[in-house]
Amino acid sequence: MNNPLHKLKILQHLLQSRFRRFHSPEQLRQWQEKQIKSHLTWVCRHSPFYYDYQGWALADFPLMSKAKMMENFNQLNTCGLDREKLFAVACQAEQTRNFSQSQINGITVGLSSGTSGQRGFFGVSKAESLEWAGRMLGRMLPQLRGKHRIALLLRANSPLYQTINQGSVQFYYVDVTQPPSQWLSSLENFRPTVLVGSAQALQLCASQHLSLRPQLVISSAEVLTPSDRKTLAIHFSCPIHEVYQCTEGFLACTHADGILRWNEDMVHVEPYWLTPEKTHYSPIITDFRRRTQPIIRYLLDDVIEAGDDTGVFKPIRSITGRSGDQLHLPAKNTSERLCVLSDLIYRAITP
């Protein structure tokens, strides 16, 4: 990236993400409310889908799902984008593995991995890409000084990721859909300081006994089990962090205190409780930074185990899976069914 204005924007968002401080949950809540009010006003003026919701409080907006978003995408987005055209561009890029072409009218397009059973896609503008890059770097770099070699072990590349390939940050994409024999040696030669990938891809690197010595390993896209974390920590001898990143946004990550927390300076989170004891919930997400494809009260089917510390940003004890992973059993002496969450099953069978 040679545009100095783009570099300046990334730096601005990086510094905001890394150094903006909220001294209490109440201060954060008040700041969030102002951001959300301004965002909803803008979205309702520019999104035909939300036009009739002008002046409404966030709690009164309808719940959104992936199926509903894809069905109403043409009316929901604020740039006059056509769902079929964008989906065709994204599919073409995925089939040809030429991800540099996954753009249309200045909008970067990407497909979701489909781990929830239904593939969706996302569209982000250049401004949103720059903000994502700055905030991601601000949160995830071990330190700001020095050079960083970031290896991303991903199913698909994107111009969105290339946004961070600049200056002291060198980016390397590993296509994990290819046989490991085609990329393991080149990954080793790259000598990443930061290694990012799914738990399975990271475990593969560890099992191959590569001479990788990253300063930081970041797990994303899949559930990171305690046994996975232990294995990776022993092999790589460095901190193991997590990123909760999906088509709905950069939702959460391991913060400076080592705790996985919601990025509440970017997203507002409402819990949809799954247990009477309020131990697990599915998050209802409102991203008050994204405008091209608004994410407003979007109900994810992920299952989150609630944390209980007193930090400013809400903690996540663990991301345990998806709501579809629940085991439903007949309850004794009742027609109702007993719901057992996936992490409870894992803990029961893991030594």
Side-chain angles (χ1 to χ4, degrees):
M1 178 184 295
N2 297 318
N3 189 319
L5 292 179
H6 289 174
K7 291 183 179 180
L8 185 61
K9 276 294 183 182
I10 289 180
L11 178 61
Q12 174 188 344
H13 293 305
L14 184 155
L15 295 175
Q16 287 179 349
S17 177
R18 196 158 185 116
F19 298 112
R20 175 186 279 148
R21 293 290 181 265
F22 298 96
H23 301 293
S24 67
E26 178 62 22
Q27 182 190 19
L28 172 62
R29 185 187 65 79
Q30 292 177 357
W31 178 86
Q32 258 197 1
E33 288 178 353
K34 293 180 181 179
Q35 301 298 311
I36 292 169
K37 183 177 180 180
S38 174
H39 181 70
L40 294 181
T41 298
W42 189 94
V43 168
C44 290
R45 290 173 179 170
H46 294 84
S47 167
F49 181 88
Y50 287 114
Y51 183 81
D52 291 337
Y53 294 93
Q54 294 184 61
W56 289 37
L58 176 62
D60 296 325
F61 274 64
L63 284 179
M64 182 61 64
S65 65
K66 180 178 290 185
K68 188 175 182 179
M69 175 168 284
M70 292 301 98
E71 180 184 352
N72 295 280
F73 182 84
N74 291 5
Q75 292 296 307
L76 190 143
N77 80 85
T78 63
C79 297
L81 302 172
D82 180 75
R83 180 185 65 181
E84 300 304 324
K85 290 182 180 179
L86 263 66
F87 196 72
V89 168
C91 288
Q92 178 70 12
E94 179 121 344
Q95 292 167 5
T96 62
R97 314 306 291 173
N98 183 8
F99 296 102
S100 64
Q101 301 301 313
S102 55
Q103 293 181 320
I104 182 170
N105 297 332
I107 303 297
T108 296
V109 188
L111 285 172
S112 67
S113 61
T115 54
S116 64
Q118 179 184 16
R119 300 201 75 175
F121 60 86
F122 65 88
V124 294
S125 67
K126 188 63 178 180
E128 289 166 329
S129 298
L130 297 175
E131 180 165 4
W132 174 87
R135 292 182 179 276
M136 180 70 76
L137 291 174
R139 285 280 155 81
M140 304 314 302
L141 289 181
Q143 65 275 333
L144 297 184
R145 292 185 177 182
K147 293 187 177 182
H148 300 277
R149 296 182 301 276
I150 302 175
L152 299 181
L153 283 60
L154 301 171
R155 177 192 55 81
N157 199 0
S158 169
L160 183 63
Y161 302 125
Q162 295 290 351
T163 306
I164 64 176
N165 190 28
Q166 55 172 307
S168 61
V169 177
Q170 188 178 358
F171 161 90
Y172 184 71
Y173 164 65
V174 174
D175 186 351
V176 295
T177 66
Q178 303 302 309
S181 59
Q182 295 185 14
W183 54 263
L184 283 173
S185 60
S186 61
L187 173 63
E188 198 166 21
N189 292 335
F190 180 65
R191 297 180 297 112
T193 58
V194 180
L195 186 62
V196 185
S198 68
Q200 290 186 65
L202 296 173
Q203 289 280 18
L204 176 62
C205 291
S207 68
Q208 296 298 312
H209 304 290
L210 301 180
S211 58
L212 301 176
R213 293 294 177 266
Q215 300 172 19
L216 178 65
V217 169
I218 301 174
S219 176
S220 65
E222 294 175 354
V223 171
L224 180 69
T225 66
S227 61
D228 287 339
R229 179 185 292 277
K230 182 178 179 180
T231 299
L232 296 175
I234 292 173
H235 179 83
F236 291 114
S237 300
C238 71
I240 310 299
H241 287 190
E242 291 183 75
V243 163
Y244 188 4
Q245 161 80 28
C246 54
T247 55
E248 290 75 37
F250 179 30
L251 305 181
C253 65
T254 303
H255 282 225
D257 58 4
I259 297 175
L260 181 62
R261 297 182 182 276
W262 293 106
N263 292 328
E264 293 185 275
D265 54 347
M266 292 175 259
V267 295
H268 175 268
V269 184
E270 304 171 56
Y272 180 84
W273 293 107
L274 301 173
T275 60
E277 301 80 12
K278 294 187 176 182
T279 59
H280 295 73
Y281 62 93
S282 289
I284 301 172
I285 299 296
T286 297
D287 188 325
F288 48 84
R289 314 302 303 180
R290 289 177 61 177
R291 290 182 168 184
T292 301
Q293 182 180 349
I295 305 295
I296 299 175
R297 301 202 74 221
Y298 190 107
L299 176 60
L300 292 167
D301 65 349
D302 296 326
V303 177
I304 306 299
E305 184 180 10
D308 57 4
D309 87 327
T310 57
V312 175
F313 287 16
K314 294 185 184 70
I316 298 174
R317 185 180 299 276
S318 64
I319 304 169
T320 68
R322 297 188 181 276
S323 56
D325 298 335
Q326 299 175 57
L327 179 63
H328 294 271
L329 301 173
K332 188 176 181 179
N333 300 325
T334 178
S335 60
E336 296 182 358
R337 299 181 68 82
L338 179 66
C339 173
V340 183
L341 296 168
S342 57
D343 63 317
L344 302 180
I345 300 172
Y346 172 82
R347 292 171 187 173
I349 65 176
T350 302

